[in-house]
Amino acid sequence: MNLYDYQWEVIEPALEGKNIIVWLPTGSGKTRAALYVVKRHLETKRRAKVAVLVNKVHLVDQHYQNEFYPFLQDSFKVVAISGDTDEKSFFASVVEQNDVIICTAQILQNALFNPEKEKHVELTDFSLLIIDECHHTHKDGVYNKLMEGYIEKKMRNEGKLPQILGLTASPGTGKATSFEKAKEHILQICANLDTWKIMSPKIHHKQLERKSHLPKRQFDLCTKRPENPFGRKLAEIMTMIHEFLGDTTFSSDFGTQMYEQKIVELEKEGAVMFSSKKRICALHLRKYNDALLIYDTVRMVDAFNYLDEFYMLEKVTKTRGDLTEEFLFQIFAENREELVLSATNMKYENPMLSKLEEILRKQLDTSAESQGIVFTKTRQSAHALHKWVESNGRLQAIGIKAAVLTGAGYSNQTKHMTQNDQQKVIQEFRKQMLNLLISTSVAEEGLDIPECNIVVRYGLMTNEISMVQARGRARAEDSVYSVLAKSGSKEVKRENTNESLEELMKRAIEEVQRMPEAEYRQKIFELQKESIISRKVKEAQQECKKQKYRAEEVLLYCRNCNVAVCYGSDLRTIEKTHHVNINPDFKTYYKVSAPIPLAKKMEDWIPGGEISCRCGQKWGMEMIYKAVSLPNIAVKNFVVKTPEGTRTFKKWKDAPFPTEDFDYIECCYLQFPDLEVK
């Protein structure tokens, strides 16, 4: 296996068994360098066992197929385990029988806490952990949870812990804007990963610069629409809704994230006060605000279609007659024709689209091998841009063949991609059957994507890590990194800020690298102790919150129609994740849709239909365990009434009452005591 001199330089401490972070740019061979460390480790260490951990499911198969299996298969046993593989059910034996296990960090974390013999493993079962994209090792991320357990075991001297090798292109600054805070962030990442040193080339840095040249950066700025009758009409309707509410103090900053936050609070207020008028108006105002955000990003017709589909779906799903809903349906119907006319008038179309067309024609019309990526914020805008490309005759004339690349996670707003869908798109792009990807952040890091001639950041406002990752995709000769935004916008200012933060990050890393070893080790030890104490305090506080009320004192009301449907004591937790209602009478309150297709297989159950209140409010989905179904509910769809008042919650962990942890069979017996579960 051939490595560049700069790769040899950065992995040298890892070959000696030290914990390090390898900091190299995107496309410079971090994974290949790690592969060599794995190979040497397996060859030289007795009873070696390696886990390669990734933070996204699609990277499991990528690392297996492209790197680890081809190079190690002749001498070692390599296995890839994800949520879709049956090996997950026998994780302990799979670990025992293989030398290299490639899996998501969540699968390993679950196995560490699983009491079943077939699934349980210990960190001490491994001799080396490779942590890909290790800058995610912070806060409540799964990497950090895993490493918290590692550091606690280290503090207690519990067994021989594995060596750690972290890989990253950009540790970031952790939102810090001062040098000292940025340095503190880098030290915290190092402490979280129990790092001996963060490694980057010093002797062979010139070789790295030649290998990973930066693309030409350009700002492609456009002006705002001279007129916006479509946006103006949406704002007029939103004002009418506020007047209907009797709200004279509302903010008119429509089409902004700030306004969305205010509307979320209004919806919460309506739910807690059992005011259907406030809650329903807030829901519709949020949809209009979403439409304005879409209108600002892509075509007017995309924004109109979003609203139109929402109202068609509402008419179908909402079965109760409600005066507020009738008013809202009527106001949309009365303005629908005017919205259609303005949405289809090309005179008022989004100027960002014509600028994007100009960029793509210039960069992708030069060579048959030219390829590019357009990064956009949401799945919705990715699909809308794809439709626009396919309907644009000038782009089709120069042979642009585009596809969407988004995440595999389930979304109730837009169609999600399965892992197979993702792999198919990437393979077609790699084989040049496609020359343009329109992607969300899923393509920023980790994916094995060919060198691109053009990378466009389309109206994006993200952090310095995303900027570095996206820019790293433009690696072809004479490549261009374009920031497409409105002149004077927040996106332009943020991009310039990100450049400054990137430099701040580099300075902070270099300062940490220069720290005297004794001082560095002492600081790392202090940060690790503080993290353990902080976590234990946080866990104690959460436990106090949960024990505040007895489960039988708490009632759950449907968030939409305010009907009381169950007590907290009706609920049980399965695998610390799924919250099911074991009261057989609960079925009288909901209806079930056709089965929901999921992108991945579950271990012990298959998804049934979506469960909804009789009023149309979605509550969750059925979990079918063998022949028995259990209703799995999401707390965010309910209002929780306690002895002290009414509240709403987004997540179960924030609910102020305990739910007992049971397994599937126990819950089945509780709901169906006379049923034999086979």
Side-chain angles (χ1 to χ4, degrees):
M1 185 188 302
N2 295 321
L3 295 181
Y4 290 99
D5 291 335
Y6 69 82
Q7 290 171 306
W8 285 113
E9 183 183 347
V10 296
I11 64 171
E12 186 178 347
L15 297 175
E16 298 170 359
K18 292 183 172 70
N19 291 359
I20 65 166
I21 294 173
V22 169
W23 172 43
L24 287 174
T26 301
S28 58
K30 292 187 294 295
T31 308
R32 183 59 56 87
L35 174 57
Y36 184 82
V37 174
V38 170
K39 184 173 181 293
R40 176 79 74 84
H41 182 86
L42 292 168
E43 290 170 344
T44 59
K45 191 171 181 67
R46 186 170 170 268
R47 298 180 68 181
K49 186 82 64 181
V50 180
V52 180
L53 305 179
V54 298
N55 65 320
K56 293 179 182 176
V57 176
H58 56 258
L59 298 178
V60 173
D61 189 61
Q62 178 179 294
H63 283 326
Y64 177 80
Q65 297 286 355
N66 298 354
E67 296 285 354
F68 289 89
Y69 182 73
F71 283 94
L72 300 175
Q73 61 174 318
D74 293 337
S75 306
F76 304 101
K77 293 179 181 177
V78 185
V79 65
I81 305 176
S82 68
D84 287 344
T85 57
D86 294 330
E87 288 91 345
K88 190 177 74 169
S89 301
F90 307 96
F91 191 75
S93 57
V94 171
V95 168
E96 187 177 347
Q97 294 164 14
N98 289 274
D99 302 300
V100 180
I101 296 89
I102 305 170
C103 65
T104 59
Q106 190 63 60
I107 285 179
L108 177 57
Q109 179 73 352
N110 291 346
L112 293 175
F113 288 93
N114 198 311
E116 296 178 41
K117 186 179 177 182
E118 298 82 7
K119 300 171 187 175
H120 180 76
V121 297
E122 293 285 348
L123 278 173
T124 49
D125 293 336
F126 300 93
S127 54
L128 173 63
L129 298 184
I130 307 291
I131 301 183
D132 193 32
E133 309 295 354
C134 70
H135 51 272
H136 293 294
T137 314
H138 63 96
K139 295 184 179 177
D140 291 327
V142 64
Y143 281 161
N144 206 31
K145 288 179 181 177
L146 196 150
M147 286 304 301
E148 281 174 348
Y150 176 102
I151 289 163
E152 200 161 340
K153 284 181 179 292
K154 178 189 172 185
M155 295 283 192
R156 292 173 179 168
N157 289 317
E158 292 183 10
K160 180 70 174 171
L161 290 166
Q163 178 187 349
I164 304 294
L165 173 57
L167 309 174
T168 183
S170 176
T173 62
K175 298 184 179 179
T177 54
S178 69
F179 176 74
E180 285 304 319
K181 290 289 185 183
K183 179 184 170 185
E184 191 77 15
H185 170 74
I186 299 301
L187 283 166
Q188 187 67 64
I189 293 285
C190 291
N192 293 347
L193 288 156
D194 196 37
T195 308
W196 176 78
K197 187 172 278 190
I198 183 166
M199 296 296 298
S200 59
K202 303 299 180 187
I203 300 169
H204 302 288
H205 66 95
K206 291 291 184 186
Q207 184 189 54
L208 174 61
E209 288 173 7
R210 290 193 297 272
K211 176 76 171 58
S212 57
H213 67 278
L214 289 175
K216 175 191 171 186
R217 186 182 78 154
Q218 64 186 40
F219 281 95
D220 290 298
L221 306 180
C222 57
T223 57
K224 292 183 179 180
R225 290 180 175 91
E227 292 184 70
N228 64 339
F230 181 81
R232 192 164 55 244
K233 176 52 67 176
L234 291 182
E236 284 176 15
I237 296 172
M238 293 169 82
T239 301
M240 290 168 70
I241 296 172
H242 277 285
E243 289 171 352
F244 172 74
L245 272 172
D247 182 5
T248 57
T249 60
F250 72 92
S251 170
S252 60
D253 50 354
F254 303 138
T256 65
Q257 297 293 337
M258 191 179 298
Y259 178 80
E260 181 177 340
Q261 290 169 11
K262 292 173 185 173
I263 291 304
V264 168
E265 289 303 314
L266 180 67
E267 195 275 338
K268 273 188 193 176
E269 187 184 319
V272 168
M273 294 172 61
F274 293 124
S275 168
S276 61
K277 185 175 182 179
K278 271 190 180 181
R279 187 189 47 72
I280 294 169
C281 284
L283 170 67
H284 287 245
L285 283 168
R286 190 171 184 181
K287 293 298 176 181
Y288 279 104
N289 198 61
D290 287 345
L292 278 170
L293 290 168
I294 295 166
Y295 155 80
D296 197 48
T297 307
V298 282
R299 298 177 298 181
M300 292 181 290
V301 70
D302 298 311
F304 171 77
N305 288 339
Y306 173 80
L307 268 182
D308 204 37
E309 287 167 12
F310 165 72
Y311 275 99
M312 284 192 290
L313 189 62
E314 283 290 286
K315 283 182 179 178
V316 172
T317 56
K318 293 295 169 69
T319 55
R320 294 171 69 248
D322 186 283
L323 292 176
T324 300
E325 285 180 342
E326 286 177 12
F327 166 78
L328 294 166
F329 287 140
Q330 182 182 344
I331 197 173
F332 178 74
E334 288 173 353
N335 290 279
R336 187 179 183 280
E337 187 176 345
E338 188 175 343
L339 287 170
V340 170
L341 288 172
S342 56
T344 52
N345 189 334
M346 296 307 294
K347 178 182 175 183
Y348 307 117
E349 196 48 279
N350 193 339
M352 285 180 67
L353 293 172
S354 56
K355 180 62 75 172
L356 179 59
E357 179 189 323
E358 181 186 321
I359 296 165
L360 295 178
R361 289 179 66 186
K362 182 178 180 181
Q363 297 298 329
L364 298 183
D365 196 22
T366 55
S367 164
E369 289 77 38
S370 296
Q371 290 181 286
I373 303 178
V374 176
F375 285 106
T376 186
K377 185 177 180 181
T378 65
R379 297 180 185 189
Q380 207 163 42
S381 59
H383 286 286
L385 284 171
H386 182 241
K387 287 179 185 175
W388 169 76
V389 168
E390 288 193 320
S391 64
N392 188 304
R394 290 178 292 276
L395 293 179
Q396 295 304 305
I398 62 171
I400 288 187
K401 298 179 286 293
V404 169
L405 183 63
T406 64
Y410 177 76
S411 167
N412 58 9
Q413 285 192 321
T414 53
K415 183 184 176 184
H416 65 281
M417 294 187 80
T418 65
Q419 293 169 51
N420 288 337
D421 292 336
Q422 289 178 333
Q423 290 303 323
K424 182 182 177 185
V425 167
I426 293 164
Q427 287 297 331
E428 289 178 351
F429 191 65
R430 194 175 288 127
K431 292 175 182 177
Q432 297 193 325
M433 296 163 64
L434 299 168
N435 56 6
L436 181 66
L437 292 182
I438 302 169
S439 178
T440 55
S441 60
V442 70
E444 284 179 352
E445 62 180 40
L447 283 178
D448 183 18
I449 289 175
E451 298 176 347
C452 292
N453 304 79
I454 175 70
V455 166
V456 181
R457 297 255 290 171
Y458 185 85
L460 279 180
M461 189 164 69
T462 54
N463 61 22
E464 72 280 7
I465 295 176
S466 291
M467 181 195 74
V468 170
Q469 299 278 10
R471 188 182 63 201
R473 296 296 171 194
R475 303 196 299 269
E477 200 68 33
D478 300 321
S479 56
V480 172
Y481 170 76
S482 164
V483 179
L484 201 171
K486 293 186 179 73
S487 182
S489 65
K490 292 179 181 177
E491 289 82 1
V492 174
K493 293 173 185 173
R494 182 67 207 192
E495 191 71 21
N496 286 322
T497 299
N498 286 341
E499 289 256 318
S500 301
L501 290 174
E502 184 186 9
E503 289 304 312
L504 183 63
M505 176 195 73
K506 289 177 180 177
R507 284 175 51 216
I509 292 173
E510 288 165 0
E511 179 68 14
V512 169
Q513 289 173 328
R514 286 193 296 265
M515 286 177 71
E517 186 174 346
E519 180 188 343
Y520 172 81
R521 293 310 313 160
Q522 180 62 29
K523 183 65 177 175
I524 294 300
F525 178 69
E526 289 170 1
L527 288 171
Q528 289 175 339
K529 276 204 309 183
E530 287 171 14
S531 291
I532 289 173
I533 294 168
S534 175
R535 176 167 60 86
K536 292 201 176 292
V537 168
K538 188 176 179 182
E539 286 174 355
Q541 288 172 341
Q542 286 178 343
E543 199 57 35
C544 273
K545 277 185 186 177
K546 283 210 167 190
Q547 300 299 329
K548 191 169 184 181
Y549 306 107
R550 295 196 307 274
E552 60 269 23
E553 294 180 316
V554 176
L555 265 172
L556 274 69
Y557 289 74
C558 173
R559 190 162 184 149
N560 186 57
C561 65
N562 306 327
V563 171
V565 294
C566 69
Y567 285 97
S569 52
D570 294 331
L571 306 174
R572 297 293 184 277
T573 309
I574 299 176
E575 291 188 344
K576 302 185 187 300
T577 303
H578 314 292
H579 289 79
V580 298
N581 190 316
I582 53 119
N583 186 337
D585 295 333
F586 183 57
K587 63 187 176 188
T588 61
Y589 292 99
Y590 66 83
K591 54 188 178 182
V592 186
S593 71
I596 299 169
L598 288 187
K600 61 181 181 179
K601 291 190 292 186
M602 297 300 171
E603 189 174 327
D604 294 316
W605 61 277
I606 60 172
E610 193 168 60
I611 61 173
S612 303
C613 178
R614 299 292 175 186
C615 71
Q617 170 71 46
K618 293 177 183 177
W619 283 351
M621 73 165 73
E622 278 196 314
M623 302 168 65
I624 301 173
Y625 175 73
K626 298 188 179 177
V628 180
S629 64
L630 297 165
N632 183 25
I633 66 176
V635 72
K636 64 182 178 182
N637 298 324
F638 296 89
V639 177
V640 179
K641 191 171 184 180
T642 70
E644 291 180 8
T646 310
R647 302 162 71 181
T648 62
F649 298 93
K650 284 187 177 180
K651 296 180 181 177
W652 274 108
K653 68 181 180 68
D654 299 323
F657 62 95
T659 53
E660 294 180 74
D661 197 31
F662 279 39
D663 64 24
Y664 287 95
I665 296 174
E666 287 176 308
C667 287
C668 290
Y669 280 136
L670 285 169
Q671 190 176 35
F672 306 97
D674 300 326
L675 183 67
E676 183 181 352
V677 182
K678 296 182 179 179

